Amino acid sequence: MADSRPPQSSLEAIQALRQALQLSPDSAPLQRMLIQHLIDAGLFAEAEPQLRSALARDPDNAALKFDLARTFHGEGKNREALVLLDDLTRNPKSPTAAFLFHARLLFSAGEIAQAVVQYKRAIQADPLLADAELAARLGIGRSPETSEVVDGKIRAGWSGDEVEATDGEFEGEVERPKINFNHVGGMEKVKEEVRLKIIYPIQHADMFKAYGKTIGGGILLYGPPGCGKTHLARATAGEIDAGFISVGINDVLDMWIGSSEKSLHALFEQARATAPCVLFFDEVDALGASRTDMKSSAGRHLINQFLAEMDGIGASNEGVLILAATNAPWHLDAAFRRPGRFDRILFVPPPDNPARSAILQILTAGKPLENIDFAEVARKCDGFSGADLRAVVDVAVEAKLQQAMKEGVPRPIVTKDLLKAAGNVKPSTREWFATARNYALYSNQGGTYDEILQYLKGK
């Protein structure tokens, strides 16, 4: 078996550069040389902190970002590498090798069409980067008669010409939620923003009209999954006794060209007809993904329709309150963030300690309890989402049910039961923050994701 350790000469060079850097800690060239030696030696875990330090001093250095992406890949952090490359390759002045590396990682992730685009950008900038094996796997230059994949497109998908839109239109169910903000544990800052944007204009309509402010507009809620974005949207409608239409991906997307746009228009028309109405889009990034990343004209047409509906072109959106939730705001088309659309972007973090205590009390209401110290359980659940807390309660209840089945006598849930259950549930938010942190550090135009960094700083 071959020895995978770096050659002794390489280790000696690294040690010499470390010593030199201790004497001249502000020397960017010395640090750059050390980084290259560490990467070449495969010492990626040691290269990462050096790269982060270098980027802190020179945050716009594309070469350093590319090296960090390579380092992430070397550490097995392919998701982090892709996040960085997604941002890096938006700049045509980035190292040409970054486009080829991006193509390889996209191919590995199954994003074939995007991999083709990045590969072609790479070889157009530098033909010497051509990789015959990768090109063959991507189907570049192949014929549809001889290959299942041609330029990243699956031949089976080309079954015929685009079909005209069907006549069917979708109408959503208008709910009248029975919950309000009293049923939402914590989130005080987010709730106050929703009050300012949505609730106060309804409750004090005359005052807002006196200042020329219309009733309506949009709020985008983002954050890790399971932290109550959908619950908050439904409670918003209940707070003002408004209708509530929840829109999922399947409610809009349709295989026929034009039908998705018609379904979207029908939903907005229904909300206008039942105003005041909260129109809630879950996983909105699936409907409003960045148009620059799309190769399908149908996808771009749907986004254009979405933007036109939000602008109220041809119809008034007075009294239509648009809320949307996403776990990946960085994939949303930038046009949605312009004034009059989703002009409030609110970070919904995992609940803090008082909020976790309040959520636990809500989740255990109506269950047999005895002397529960909710504050102690909440402290044990740091970083847990609302969904994680529900899992804690479910695990504790299941354990009590098993005990009751054995003993034949139901026993109340006590603090110890919830603490034990909490030890068996892992917070689901960690993976999300690992991805979000990289967007916040390296793709944070206008400080959109500053709240993520502030939250992580406090941890």
Side-chain angles (χ1 to χ4, degrees):
M1 182 176 176
D3 190 348
S4 60
R5 291 176 299 177
Q8 185 62 31
S9 59
S10 180
L11 293 175
E12 290 173 355
I14 289 171
Q15 182 60 25
L17 284 167
R18 287 190 188 279
Q19 292 173 352
L21 199 57
Q22 285 179 346
L23 296 172
S24 303
D26 295 327
S27 174
L30 276 176
Q31 188 173 42
R32 185 81 172 125
M33 289 175 63
L34 175 60
I35 288 167
Q36 288 304 318
H37 275 75
L38 290 169
I39 292 174
D40 293 343
L43 300 174
F44 301 109
E46 297 178 38
E48 183 181 340
Q50 292 291 340
L51 280 160
R52 290 190 181 277
S53 170
L55 278 166
R57 288 193 299 231
D58 189 5
D60 298 322
N61 190 309
L64 287 172
K65 289 183 178 181
F66 178 41
D67 281 343
L68 183 57
R70 291 167 57 205
T71 298
F72 281 149
H73 176 62
E75 294 179 281
K77 301 176 180 177
N78 287 343
R79 176 176 295 190
E80 288 85 343
L82 274 170
V83 166
L84 196 50
L85 287 165
D86 283 343
D87 180 59
L88 185 60
T89 53
R90 288 193 178 102
N91 182 358
K93 295 182 180 179
S94 295
T96 52
F99 297 99
L100 180 62
F101 189 54
H102 195 198
R104 288 178 176 144
L105 292 192
L106 286 168
F107 175 76
S108 298
E111 301 288 346
I112 309 300
Q114 292 184 50
V116 168
V117 172
Q118 297 299 355
Y119 178 81
K120 289 183 174 180
R121 291 177 72 186
I123 61 173
Q124 183 178 6
D126 184 357
L128 295 177
L129 292 175
D131 182 331
E133 182 181 354
L134 179 59
R137 290 186 175 187
L138 294 173
I140 292 175
R142 291 194 173 190
S143 165
E145 285 76 28
T146 60
S147 178
E148 287 296 317
V149 181
V150 180
D151 278 0
K153 299 173 183 175
I154 307 300
R155 176 158 54 95
W158 299 356
S159 56
D161 295 333
E162 293 183 341
V163 183
E164 291 298 321
T166 60
D167 292 330
E169 291 185 353
F170 174 85
E171 285 199 351
E173 178 187 354
V174 181
E175 301 177 38
R176 291 286 172 180
K178 303 297 184 184
I179 63 172
N180 55 37
F181 281 178
N182 293 329
H183 299 88
V184 179
M187 294 196 203
E188 295 308 321
K189 180 180 177 182
V190 179
K191 285 191 282 192
E192 186 57 28
E193 289 281 358
V194 173
R195 287 188 185 100
L196 288 169
K197 178 69 177 178
I198 288 179
I199 295 173
Y200 294 154
I202 293 286
Q203 294 176 339
H204 307 284
D206 292 340
M207 189 178 297
F208 274 74
K209 286 180 180 178
Y211 283 93
K213 293 285 288 183
T214 57
I215 301 173
I219 290 179
L220 177 66
L221 306 171
Y222 80 94
C227 288
K229 296 184 287 292
T230 303
H231 186 60
L232 177 67
R234 186 170 271 105
T236 299
E239 190 78 4
I240 52 176
D241 194 26
F244 181 78
I245 302 176
S246 180
V247 184
I249 303 168
N250 295 333
D251 297 331
V252 176
L253 294 184
D254 194 285
M255 67 180 291
W256 304 116
I257 302 298
S259 286
S260 297
E261 293 93 306
K262 291 182 72 176
S263 294
L264 189 63
H265 176 69
L267 285 162
F268 270 89
E269 284 293 286
Q270 189 177 14
R272 292 168 186 137
T274 56
C277 182
V278 173
L279 189 56
F280 174 66
F281 292 89
D282 199 8
E283 298 182 85
V284 71
D285 51 291
L287 297 175
S290 176
R291 286 169 291 182
T292 58
D293 296 333
M294 287 187 175
K295 307 299 171 281
S296 164
S297 61
R300 291 193 291 270
H301 289 324
L302 177 59
I303 291 175
N304 291 336
Q305 180 71 34
F306 201 159
L307 295 171
E309 297 292 347
M310 290 191 74
D311 290 341
I313 295 176
S316 171
N317 282 340
E318 180 82 9
V320 177
L321 316 165
I322 305 166
L323 268 69
T326 176
N327 302 330
W330 34 83
H331 291 156
L332 193 66
D333 195 282
F336 282 100
R337 301 176 187 172
R338 291 177 189 162
R341 296 168 182 170
F342 293 126
D343 45 12
R344 293 284 178 91
I345 302 175
L346 304 181
F347 175 49
V348 182
D352 59 15
N353 201 57
R356 290 194 297 274
S357 179
I359 291 169
L360 286 166
Q361 291 179 58
I362 292 170
L363 292 173
T364 55
K367 296 177 173 59
L369 308 175
E370 185 176 280
N371 300 325
I372 298 291
D373 187 343
F374 287 106
E376 183 181 356
V377 179
R379 284 192 294 271
K380 176 77 170 179
C381 298
D382 186 37
F384 281 41
S385 67
D388 296 333
L389 294 172
R390 182 179 294 278
V392 169
V393 174
D394 288 345
V395 169
V397 168
E398 288 169 7
K400 275 300 180 186
L401 281 171
Q402 288 181 345
Q403 182 183 351
M405 295 295 287
K406 290 178 182 177
E407 298 178 356
V409 179
R411 305 285 185 186
I413 298 170
V414 297
T415 302
K416 183 174 66 175
D417 298 319
L418 290 173
L419 289 173
K420 183 179 179 180
N424 293 324
V425 176
K426 303 298 181 187
S428 61
T429 61
R430 289 175 182 169
E431 185 177 353
W432 185 88
F433 276 110
T435 299
R437 182 176 185 273
N438 287 299
Y439 276 103
L441 285 172
Y442 306 116
S443 184
N444 192 19
Q445 294 87 354
T448 303
Y449 308 127
D450 283 352
E451 287 181 295
I452 294 174
L453 296 176
Q454 291 170 8
Y455 176 83
L456 290 173
K457 189 176 181 180
K459 302 307 283 181

